[in-house]
Amino acid sequence: MSAGTGGGLLVAGTTSDAGKSVVTAGICRWLVRQGVKVAPFKAQNMSLNSFVTREGAEIGRAQAMQAQAARVEPTALMNPVLLKPGSDRSSQVVLMGKPVGEMSARGYHGGRQEQLLGTVLECLAELRGTYDAVICEGAGSPAEINLRRTDIVNMGIARNARLPVLVVGDIDRGGVFASFFGTVALLSPEDQAFVAGFLVNKFRGDVSLLEPGLDMLKNLTGRHTYGVLPFQHGLGIDEEDGLRVSLRGSVRESEVSSPVGEDILRVAVCAIPLMSNFTDVDALAAEPGVVVRFVDRAEELVDADLVVVPGTRGTVRALEWLRERGLADALARRAAEGRPVLGVCGGFQILGEHIEDEVESRAGQVDGLGLLPVRVRFAREKTLTRPVGEALGEPVEGYEIHHGVARVTGGTPFLDGCRVGEVWGTHWHGSLESDGFRRAFLREVAAAAGRRFVPAADTSFGSLREEQLDRLGDLIEEHADTDALWRLIESGAPTGLPFIPPGAPA
């Protein structure tokens, strides 16, 4: 494969959660293994799962994961606009890695979004000038005709940057042929000219049974299907649109390996409102013998060996929710009994004594759960850092994303937070990805819980993540028409693609 300069592709989807993020990552990993210098890009992302780059910019975790797939350092250029929902109607707007204010959906789509198109195109142009190929991810569906006028992430950017579009459909949901056809047929003739074809995701069974449908789809649309990717468990990494769990189901699609010791370890994660960076618990779920579940009822904490209160974009709202559902009392009982509780970021703030918030909720003075000697004041400027330190005798790395400033007045120091008994609190996301620290922490939890659990000595979260990314690359390499896909990236959409009526309404 020869590496063309400035090639590009937009991976769109028939729906949210069709698999755009993982397909983009898979294409990046396939390309970099072929010697192509490649970068990911998403113009506008709506997600509560975010990451801090080395230069202190906040971007979506999905783009950080895709950068890892491409073996490049993530930067703000790869996700210039990040929307972090704070309610059903408003989001914090993060521009080039820094928050610039809260905005309602009507206000954003009513004009602000169009103003950002220039910034988005400049970022994409800079990436295309640096890399051989840029693989862009769309958002939702390009056929959201109510939003087309202000679109800067799907067909708006495809047409402005002249990117070919590959539409991904999740066949596991059903209706994929109708979704493919309808997506194209609802676009204007000008937009349709950039839709090169389709990619089927999550297929189970004999591909030969699908082929007649693919032939009919080509006859109907004049467009090629670039591959049929089989369903595989455990590839839902760093999603942005959904939790991929039922509240009383195991985390992600992970399968729990047999424990090294005599016992398993049960971890319950409180599924608080506006939960953010729930990816923190992925490293726990990767440990053999650790069962991670998201819960929303007090009785589900009873048999847990560790309860995690995760981050949130609504600390005060989450605190109220915990009290309303009886979970706050259950956490207090655990603390009194010396049973392990871990609070991360917003969860850490919730475990403290007092919260002063005139920024996020504007609730003013609010009492926390009082389980840690911490007082929190929300600052208008957001803390975005990549701290490095030590805890439990092991090196630890993490990242911080928060408005709340914590003043710790007691306890034992723990990752810039504190520990009292078996209650632990820190602002550091990602700390559990540090293997030595995670094992030391789990040994402490097992001892406090009276479990004969032993952490595996050789579990490397980084290696497991690399294996997942390689599996994504393998899916593309083995099940996509890679020659046709490269021609698309290098040369753009084929000419003469037919128009499919009725097209977008005027």
Side-chain angles (χ1 to χ4, degrees):
M1 177 184 295
S2 63
T5 300
L9 175 70
L10 177 70
V11 179
T14 55
T15 62
S16 294
D17 205 26
K20 297 183 293 291
S21 295
V22 293
V23 167
T24 299
I27 293 174
C28 285
R29 178 50 60 101
W30 160 64
L31 285 173
V32 77
R33 293 195 309 205
Q34 306 304 311
V36 176
K37 188 180 178 185
V38 59
F41 178 79
K42 184 159 185 172
Q44 171 198 295
N45 193 347
M46 178 173 280
S47 178
L48 287 172
N49 282 338
S50 57
F51 182 75
V52 179
T53 67
R54 293 208 180 276
E55 71 267 32
E58 184 179 10
I59 66 171
R61 266 200 74 103
Q63 280 61 66
M65 176 268 291
Q66 291 159 358
Q68 185 178 350
R71 296 177 180 151
V72 296
E73 189 67 33
T75 72
L77 291 172
M78 297 172 185
N79 179 206
V81 182
L82 174 64
L83 306 179
K84 303 193 72 175
S87 70
D88 292 338
R89 295 178 177 268
S90 67
S91 295
Q92 182 181 66
V93 180
V94 179
L95 179 62
M96 295 303 295
K98 304 296 180 184
V100 294
E102 297 280 335
M103 188 166 289
S104 69
R106 179 175 292 276
Y108 183 69
H109 290 287
R112 177 61 167 160
Q113 188 176 29
E114 284 180 288
Q115 297 169 10
L116 297 174
L117 179 60
T119 299
V120 162
L121 291 172
E122 287 171 6
C123 291
L124 178 56
E126 185 170 341
L127 289 173
R128 294 181 80 180
T130 305
Y131 292 89
D132 301 326
V134 179
I135 309 303
C136 308
E137 180 188 344
S141 163
E144 290 167 354
I145 54 180
N146 56 314
L147 302 177
R148 176 61 184 90
R149 182 180 62 82
T150 58
D151 171 43
I152 64 170
V153 66
N154 290 309
M155 300 313 300
I157 193 169
R159 277 179 59 184
N160 274 282
R162 305 196 66 77
L163 292 171
V165 177
L166 183 69
V167 180
V168 177
D170 180 354
I171 198 170
D172 199 45
R173 294 182 173 189
V176 74
F177 292 115
S179 298
F180 281 146
F181 184 86
T183 296
V184 179
L186 277 176
L187 300 178
S188 68
E190 294 81 5
D191 284 353
Q192 287 192 23
F194 288 90
V195 179
F198 313 106
L199 186 75
V200 177
N201 192 29
K202 298 185 182 177
F203 179 72
R204 305 173 191 251
D206 185 348
V207 175
S208 66
L209 298 176
L210 190 66
E211 287 170 352
L214 300 178
D215 292 339
M216 285 185 273
L217 182 66
K218 181 162 188 187
N219 291 334
L220 286 166
T221 66
R223 287 160 172 85
H224 179 58
T225 296
Y226 285 77
V228 178
L229 308 185
F231 185 97
Q232 286 196 11
H233 285 282
L235 291 181
I237 49 179
D238 290 2
E239 298 94 355
E240 61 197 35
D241 296 319
L243 194 55
R244 296 192 61 76
V245 296
S246 65
L247 281 179
R248 279 165 290 279
S250 296
V251 59
R252 306 291 197 285
E253 300 160 346
S254 61
E255 298 176 3
V256 178
S257 302
S258 299
V260 175
E262 297 180 45
D263 286 344
I264 64 170
L265 209 62
R266 298 173 178 85
V267 179
V269 184
C270 297
I272 55 181
L274 297 173
M275 181 164 44
S276 61
N277 286 71
F278 53 79
T279 48
D280 283 337
V281 300
D282 283 358
L284 294 178
E287 281 286 346
V290 176
V291 181
V292 179
R293 297 168 66 86
F294 286 84
V295 303
D296 64 347
R297 298 186 303 203
E299 56 267 31
E300 293 175 300
L301 304 190
V302 174
D303 68 347
D305 302 307
L306 169 67
V307 174
V308 178
V309 187
T312 173
R313 249 284 277 154
T315 300
V316 171
R317 177 177 166 187
L319 180 57
E320 292 170 350
W321 181 87
L322 289 167
R323 286 179 166 134
E324 289 167 0
R325 302 185 73 88
L327 287 157
D329 290 338
L331 288 168
R333 285 194 297 272
R334 286 188 67 90
E337 294 165 2
R339 303 177 67 201
V341 176
L342 171 65
V344 181
C345 199
F348 168 43
Q349 297 165 8
I350 285 168
L351 298 179
E353 299 171 342
H354 185 79
I355 297 169
E356 181 183 340
D357 181 12
E358 299 293 349
V359 176
E360 192 175 76
S361 67
R362 297 182 175 84
Q365 311 281 336
V366 178
D367 288 333
L369 298 187
L371 305 184
L372 289 174
V374 176
R375 301 178 75 83
V376 176
R377 178 185 57 81
F378 275 68
R380 297 201 175 277
E381 186 170 339
K382 182 183 285 190
T383 297
L384 296 168
T385 62
R386 291 272 293 268
V388 176
E390 183 179 298
L392 302 180
E394 298 287 346
V396 190
E397 295 183 11
Y399 58 99
E400 294 188 47
I401 306 170
H402 54 90
H403 284 280
V405 178
R407 182 165 63 88
V408 179
T409 59
T412 303
F414 173 68
L415 299 179
D416 292 342
C418 67
R419 170 189 182 181
V420 173
E422 295 304 322
V423 181
W424 314 63
T426 177
H427 271 134
W428 291 26
H429 293 292
S431 64
L432 293 167
E433 295 178 18
S434 297
D435 297 325
F437 165 70
R438 181 180 65 254
R439 287 192 279 269
F441 176 70
L442 289 176
R443 282 192 289 269
E444 293 259 353
V445 168
R451 296 286 183 189
R452 289 170 295 183
F453 169 85
V454 178
D458 58 352
T459 302
S460 166
F461 184 76
S463 296
L464 291 172
R465 173 53 55 89
E466 279 295 306
E467 289 174 14
Q468 285 182 306
L469 295 173
D470 275 332
R471 287 171 63 196
L472 291 178
D474 292 343
L475 281 178
I476 299 299
E477 189 166 342
E478 296 169 11
H479 300 283
D481 185 345
T482 52
D483 289 339
L485 193 57
W486 177 246
R487 287 194 297 272
L488 200 61
I489 293 167
E490 193 173 39
S491 305
T495 58
L497 292 169
F499 170 69
I500 308 303

